[in-house]
Amino acid sequence: MRDKAVIGAAGLPEARWGKETMVGRLVSVNVGMPTNVQWRDKTVYTGIWKTPVEGPVMVRRLNIDGDGQGDLGGHGGEQRAVMVYQTESYEFWKRYLNRNDLKPGHFGENFTITGLSDYDVCIGDRYRIGNAEFEVTQPRVTCFRVGLRLGEPEKPNLLVAQHRPGFYFRVITEGCIQAGDRIVRTRRGRHQLSVADVDALLYLPHKDTATLRKIVDVPALSPGWQQSFNDMLASGPDSAPAAAIEPGWSGFRPLRVIAIHAESSSVLSIRFEADDNAALPPPLPGQYLTVRIPGAGDPVPLRSYSLSGDPAAGDYRISVKREECGLVSRWLHAHIDPGSVIAAAAPRGDFYLTGRRPAGGLDVRRHRHHSGLGNAACARGRPQYP
């Protein structure tokens, strides 16, 4: 017998049949194949341009028919077969960014839906749409390509800060779907940890150990995120030292690479300035810079490097030694170029030197901030740190 309908978080009636609950509708199905796009004097191969399609569409284990990804290291695959974003978030960004041109597919999502808030959807939840079934595996990985698509360079950081990342589906049962289909929740995930909370657990400060222990116990969570949270538990959820002084800005902001220099065959110096050309607050000698590197892994890894430049120079410099098993250090040596944009937290650290003498050294202090794939074993059995 049909249960009594209740009103869900998005104002939609939740029609319940036993353990199954209708929680929303599929508004649009969006696909697109990767192409080369010019951005900041570079060519980026990306599939983030998605457009709506009409009629039934087949969803398969690794993809939707007609869809593709340019960076398979950070997008696509079994764990991220379908990207999902909500019409409610579209309405929020229209107001927040003062834009009225945002339409389904602009955030690179495959499914534009209504009724499934990031606060209500949990890792491991299962949903039936059409005759296909899906499982939530992880929040969206915040990637610079979102900023590229929308012409908003700070957009990836805003998705985290405003707790509106969206999420990925794994395909449990292949099948046909189309715009207008009901979305029926068939099962709740273990521990019922929401997409917004799990995203904040990785990217925002003040980790809760009890929540970390719960999330690694959720079998539906994708392996990359599992590894990151296990690394946090192994090293302590707040292993990076707290700042002794007020940081120059809160959260992360985009920094643009203005120069790189090979100090030796294994050490690369990288200089940054603010992407918006604003003045950077001078660091104290001996402080470190925590950077987030889109493209280096999934989830986007964070690393902390000592600042090795003159604090009075007006820009920031780090020096990165390439390590054989270093996920991020190898990526930086191979891919970073002038014009590249990364996200960085303000310089931090209470181990700093008095006076104006630059720190000048390589890795004066090593911060194992495992918010990425930092401790996954490499082929020779050694951990990946830098």
Side-chain angles (χ1 to χ4, degrees):
M1 178 180 292
R2 177 170 173 168
D3 293 338
K4 182 178 179 180
V6 298
I7 301 301
L12 293 174
E14 293 186 346
R16 295 181 176 175
W17 298 267
K19 293 183 179 180
E20 295 189 353
T21 305
M22 177 183 167
V23 290
R25 284 198 181 273
L26 179 59
V27 174
S28 179
V29 181
N30 316 300
V31 300
M33 296 303 293
T35 186
N36 287 318
V37 177
Q38 291 300 124
W39 188 68
R40 299 186 183 278
D41 299 323
K42 296 182 67 175
T43 299
V44 179
Y45 187 61
T46 175
I48 198 168
W49 265 260
K50 310 291 186 188
T51 55
V53 293
E54 297 182 359
V57 183
M58 186 67 185
V59 180
R60 306 184 191 278
R61 186 176 66 88
L62 295 180
N63 229 326
I64 301 174
D65 282 1
D67 193 51
Q69 298 79 34
D71 174 19
L72 292 175
H75 307 275
E78 183 178 353
Q79 306 297 326
R80 301 168 305 230
V82 179
M83 169 59 201
V84 183
Y85 210 55
Q86 306 92 344
T87 58
E88 292 80 8
S89 287
Y90 268 91
E91 293 305 314
F92 172 85
W93 293 119
K94 287 178 182 178
R95 296 189 300 270
Y96 189 95
L97 299 172
N98 193 27
R99 293 180 58 166
N100 59 11
D101 62 328
L102 301 179
K103 298 177 181 178
H106 272 198
F107 283 80
E109 79 276 9
N110 299 115
F111 289 175
T112 311
I113 61 167
T114 188
L116 282 75
S117 160
D118 288 335
Y119 285 99
D120 297 328
V121 173
C122 298
I123 305 300
D125 283 359
R126 289 193 178 184
Y127 298 93
R128 186 174 64 249
I129 307 174
N131 59 6
E133 188 173 17
F134 306 88
E135 183 175 61
V136 180
T137 58
Q138 65 175 71
R140 178 192 196 127
V141 177
T142 54
C143 173
F144 78 93
R145 290 170 177 81
V146 182
L148 181 159
R149 175 66 179 89
L150 297 174
E152 303 276 353
E154 293 190 7
K155 196 69 179 69
N157 301 323
L158 289 173
L159 291 175
V160 175
Q162 298 297 328
H163 304 284
R164 293 180 179 272
F167 52 90
Y168 284 104
F169 276 151
R170 173 194 294 120
V171 178
I172 300 297
T173 303
E174 296 182 346
C176 282
I177 51 87
Q178 64 179 338
D181 281 346
R182 298 183 309 163
I183 302 176
V184 176
R185 188 175 63 226
T186 60
R187 192 179 78 178
R188 271 298 201 182
R190 184 182 296 179
H191 301 307
Q192 296 189 23
L193 296 173
S194 76
V195 167
D197 288 342
V198 172
D199 194 59
L201 190 64
L202 181 67
Y203 288 122
L204 298 181
H206 311 302
K207 319 296 183 188
D208 179 71
T209 302
T211 306
L212 283 171
R213 292 194 176 113
K214 286 182 179 179
I215 192 58
V216 299
D217 187 48
V218 178
L221 183 68
S222 63
W225 286 65
Q226 283 272 4
Q227 181 65 57
S228 294
F229 290 131
N230 275 309
D231 289 344
M232 286 184 188
L233 283 171
S235 59
D238 290 303
S239 56
I245 60 173
E246 190 70 21
W249 64 82
S250 60
F252 286 77
R253 68 184 289 186
L255 298 184
R256 183 174 60 252
V257 177
I258 57 174
I260 60 174
H261 178 70
E263 306 289 350
S264 70
S265 60
S266 62
V267 176
L268 182 71
S269 288
I270 308 169
R271 290 175 54 209
F272 303 98
E273 66 180 9
D275 190 48
D276 59 4
N277 296 315
L280 292 172
L284 293 170
Q287 287 192 313
Y288 62 91
L289 193 69
T290 298
V291 296
R292 197 164 72 192
I293 313 295
D298 173 26
V300 179
L302 276 70
R303 295 293 186 272
S304 295
Y305 296 100
S306 295
L307 286 157
S308 57
D310 184 347
D315 54 40
Y316 296 157
R317 186 182 79 167
I318 61 174
S319 298
V320 181
K321 182 178 180 181
R322 183 179 62 243
E323 300 285 355
E324 181 182 352
C325 295
L327 173 72
V328 174
S329 67
R330 287 187 290 108
W331 190 93
L332 287 172
H333 275 254
H335 298 287
I336 203 74
D337 289 308
S340 299
V341 176
I342 58 94
R348 282 173 165 81
D350 55 4
F351 172 74
Y352 55 85
L353 308 176
T354 58
R356 298 175 64 86
R357 180 169 61 89
L362 173 67
D363 284 337
V364 170
R365 56 194 299 169
R366 175 67 60 85
H367 302 287
R368 290 170 53 188
H369 190 176
H370 295 298
S371 294
L373 302 179
N375 216 16
C378 73
R380 293 182 61 180
R382 292 163 54 193
Q384 295 181 337
Y385 293 147

